[in-house]
Amino acid sequence: MRNVLIVDLVNSLMPLSQGLLRASYIFKELNEIELLEWCNKEMNGYKDRENVPDYRIIQGLITTDIINGYTVLTNVNIPMNKDDENLKQISTIHNGNPICAIESYLETDTSTFTTQVPSNNYWVVQKYINGNIQNLRILTHKSAFENIIISAKKKLIDSLYNLSKENGNLNKYDIGKKKMKKNRLNITNNNVTFGDNTKITNSQVGNTNTKAEENTRNFFEKHPVLSSIIAALIVAIIFATKFWKEILDFFGK
């Protein structure tokens, strides 16, 4: 039997945030403290953003507005200097947001994410431009956040797979797994059988009305001419009843 949670994650049948929640109970049951701590940080966010996993470290694009006399330039991109560690540092984002927040962002139509740079770091960029910096920011493309989801999901799937090799099938620890067998229902020969082997004998469920409707349908299919005559008689009776009712109502006045 396959591990349901792994199958659900591989086939994207649920958000990663939900998969992390289900996995956290499995890690707790198996006393996997390190995986449980990682899982909780992914769900709740990283308080120490300098120590986030490598897949959460994003290199952004530095952009700013520049005022030079009466000239205003907007959305000016600052080229990256590989030898400038300060420039590299302010353009690097350590994303510590909860997975659910990243999922919500990915559902929007926005293609870039903006992070403002504190004004006390403006000097890092100032030496590369002629003019005064206004609104220095780091732009991150949406694909970088998609990579966070993919990387975290892969780590979760690999962890669950390795645990299944050591502990057998993990379904018994997965409280989110649906017990489909108990909800199964079979109806045969007036007997109703549930998934837990509970039986109701001589049941009329799904039998009486269906059989009557089937007999009626078969009659009309076998006798099309007679069916047309019966239908015509019914229509005539309806109109006759309506006609005599109107006459009686007229004389009754």
Side-chain angles (χ1 to χ4, degrees):
M1 182 184 295
R2 294 182 178 180
N3 293 284
V4 174
L5 180 53
I6 294 178
V7 174
D8 289 348
L9 287 167
V10 170
N11 292 287
S12 300
L13 299 179
M14 72 179 81
L16 176 58
S17 54
Q18 183 179 343
L20 287 166
L21 180 60
R22 285 172 59 178
S24 67
Y25 285 94
I26 296 177
F27 298 151
K28 189 178 297 184
E29 287 288 331
L30 297 176
N31 199 31
E32 294 289 336
I33 304 302
E34 185 175 346
L35 284 173
L36 180 60
E37 289 180 352
W38 169 79
C39 199
N40 288 333
K41 288 178 180 178
E42 289 294 329
M43 289 190 295
N44 302 320
Y46 291 80
K47 294 181 179 179
D48 184 6
R49 301 206 171 200
E50 293 302 316
N51 292 316
V52 298
D54 290 342
Y55 58 81
R56 281 178 168 266
I57 300 177
I58 305 170
Q59 191 68 47
L61 175 66
I62 305 176
T63 185
T64 187
D65 301 331
I66 301 174
I67 299 177
N68 190 354
Y70 294 101
T71 303
V72 178
L73 303 175
T74 60
N75 299 322
V76 178
N77 295 330
I78 308 300
M80 181 60 63
N81 185 345
K82 296 181 180 180
D83 297 327
D84 192 331
E85 288 297 326
N86 292 321
L87 195 64
K88 182 179 180 180
Q89 183 177 356
I90 68 168
S91 62
T92 302
I93 298 174
H94 293 71
N95 190 289
N97 293 332
I99 283 293
C100 61
I102 297 176
E103 289 174 335
S104 297
Y105 167 68
L106 291 176
E107 291 176 356
T108 66
D109 296 329
T110 306
S111 59
T112 56
F113 179 80
T114 303
T115 302
Q116 297 297 135
V117 178
S119 57
N120 57 354
N121 288 326
Y122 280 15
W123 65 271
V124 177
V125 179
Q126 186 67 63
K127 59 184 177 181
Y128 292 102
I129 61 174
N130 182 21
N132 295 319
I133 293 175
Q134 298 288 326
N135 193 21
L136 185 64
R137 54 202 179 275
I138 310 300
L139 300 182
T140 309
H141 194 269
K142 199 172 189 175
S143 59
F145 297 94
E146 293 172 344
N147 183 64
I148 292 177
I149 296 293
I150 293 172
S151 299
K153 180 186 286 189
K154 184 179 184 305
K155 179 175 180 178
L156 180 58
I157 292 173
D158 290 344
S159 300
L160 292 169
Y161 179 79
N162 292 334
L163 286 177
S164 68
K165 290 294 184 181
E166 299 173 4
N167 301 277
N169 199 295
L170 302 178
N171 290 343
K172 57 185 176 181
Y173 304 110
D174 185 5
I175 64 174
K177 175 180 173 291
K178 294 182 179 180
K179 308 298 183 182
M180 298 301 295
K181 185 177 180 180
K182 291 187 177 180
N183 295 327
R184 196 171 295 152
L185 177 67
N186 295 318
I187 303 175
T188 55
N189 298 327
N190 294 342
N191 295 326
V192 180
T193 304
F194 295 91
D196 56 358
N197 293 325
T198 301
K199 292 185 178 181
I200 302 176
T201 58
N202 297 324
S203 170
Q204 297 300 316
V205 176
N207 183 51
T208 304
N209 292 337
T210 303
K211 185 176 293 185
E213 291 174 359
E214 184 178 355
N215 291 337
T216 302
R217 183 170 58 253
N218 291 337
F219 174 82
F220 284 114
E221 290 176 352
K222 292 180 181 179
H223 307 282
V225 177
L226 182 58
S227 300
S228 300
I229 296 174
I230 293 174
L233 288 173
I234 292 174
V235 173
I237 292 171
I238 293 173
F239 277 101
T241 302
K242 183 178 179 181
F243 173 74
W244 285 110
K245 184 177 183 302
E246 292 178 352
I247 292 176
L248 291 175
D249 289 342
F250 177 77
F251 286 104
K253 296 179 179 180

